[in-house]
Amino acid sequence: EPEVTQTPSHQVTQMGQEVILRCVPISNHLYFYWYRQILGQKVEFLVSFYNNEISEKSEIFDDQFSVERPDGSNFTLKIRSTKLEDSAMYFCASRRGGITGELFFGEGSRLTVL
Amino acid sequence: AQSVAQPEDQVNVAEGNPLTVKCTYSVSGNPYLFWYVQYPNRGLQFLLKYITGDNLVKGSYGFEAEFNKSQTSFHLKKPSALVSDSALYFCAVRDLTGSARQLTFGSGTQLTVLP
């Protein structure tokens, strides 16, 4: 069964460093998402991406964040200058076209900012 | 705006007993509702969804959910709980007639099934 894959599974970084989290969505999906989950808390929407541009973003997704689909398969989340409060599990998700399709999530990338 | 409430942080049930995990939602238009499950250190797995039609929706692993429009609820149920059902359960909503396209998740309910 096709699945969303994410790398790395765990990254430790120093505050102020840049981090890139990578995702390979399911191949025939058209909509891509990043969510995050701070330990023990709810799953929060960050950004959605369709047709090579951001379609929606939350208040969390400020200028420190960016997304890119550089090669038609990878979907990346970049945090330019990490803060302690960016420590969280970051989930990538994708879905087919059509408003009723469910999201398929990856296993997540745990980011620890020291 | 769309929102989801899961009023119980924790639900404990004995194996073999029926379980219910509660969810209420708020949308301005028509809701599109989901349940996802998260096992420790794993991603979210889709369980079931409601769009329109029959108010009782059947999903994976014997789970079902009942849509109640008047109570704006979408409770997750299973007739006979298994220890392996122990996990974190999230309800989510998307407003089908609104401009938002993302899913909004509830805060999650930790289900523990006791042997």
Side-chain angles (χ1 to χ4, degrees):
Chain A
E1 184 174 327
E3 57 183 21
V4 176
T5 57
Q6 291 186 241
T7 55
S9 56
H10 189 193
Q11 181 156 357
V12 181
T13 190
Q14 295 290 325
M15 190 170 56
Q17 295 296 303
E18 176 183 282
V19 161
I20 298 176
L21 305 178
R22 292 181 168 81
C23 169
V24 179
I26 295 173
S27 62
N28 62 347
H29 284 190
L30 301 177
Y31 295 82
F32 314 112
Y33 302 81
W34 284 101
Y35 282 79
R36 80 172 185 189
Q37 184 182 33
I38 295 172
L39 185 63
Q41 298 186 25
K42 67 191 300 182
V43 178
E44 300 174 297
F45 168 73
L46 292 178
V47 65
S48 60
F49 193 87
Y50 171 70
N51 200 26
N52 287 318
E53 61 183 22
I54 291 173
S55 48
E56 285 179 292
K57 60 182 180 179
S58 71
E59 293 175 353
I60 303 168
F61 194 86
D62 61 21
D63 292 344
Q64 293 298 315
F65 291 88
S66 62
V67 289
E68 198 176 39
R69 189 159 158 80
D71 57 12
S73 61
N74 290 285
F75 178 51
T76 62
L77 174 69
K78 182 191 291 187
I79 308 175
R80 190 180 315 144
S81 178
T82 50
K83 302 187 278 286
L84 294 176
E85 55 264 37
D86 293 328
S87 295
M89 182 73 91
Y90 288 81
F91 291 106
C92 175
S94 68
R95 69 178 175 91
R96 295 190 196 97
I99 196 168
T100 59
E102 61 268 24
L103 271 63
F104 290 81
F105 284 83
E107 296 285 293
S109 292
R110 181 172 297 283
L111 176 64
T112 302
V113 182
L114 303 176
Chain B
Q2 54 191 38
S3 65
V4 175
Q6 292 181 243
E8 301 157 318
D9 292 336
Q10 175 85 37
V11 169
N12 295 328
V13 64
E15 186 174 30
N17 283 0
L19 69 87
T20 298
V21 182
K22 295 179 181 176
C23 170
T24 59
Y25 66 89
S26 175
V27 295
S28 55
N30 294 320
Y32 180 28
L33 294 154
F34 298 81
W35 277 100
Y36 282 84
V37 60
Q38 184 181 31
Y39 296 99
N41 301 311
R42 304 294 300 276
L44 287 86
Q45 295 179 35
F46 169 75
L47 275 181
L48 50 81
K49 65 182 178 184
Y50 171 83
I51 308 171
T52 59
D54 194 346
N55 289 341
L56 186 64
V57 178
K58 294 189 184 299
S60 306
Y61 312 121
F63 283 93
E64 57 190 27
E66 186 167 11
F67 172 68
N68 187 317
K69 187 172 183 178
S70 62
Q71 297 183 3
T72 61
S73 67
F74 189 56
H75 301 331
L76 181 70
K77 300 182 180 185
K78 187 173 182 180
S80 178
L82 300 172
V83 172
S84 57
D85 293 329
S86 298
L88 187 57
Y89 290 81
F90 289 97
C91 182
V93 69
R94 181 189 306 149
D95 184 343
L96 281 174
T97 51
S99 59
R101 292 290 180 263
Q102 83 276 11
L103 282 184
T104 297
F105 284 85
S107 54
T109 299
Q110 180 67 49
L111 172 68
T112 301
V113 181
L114 304 168

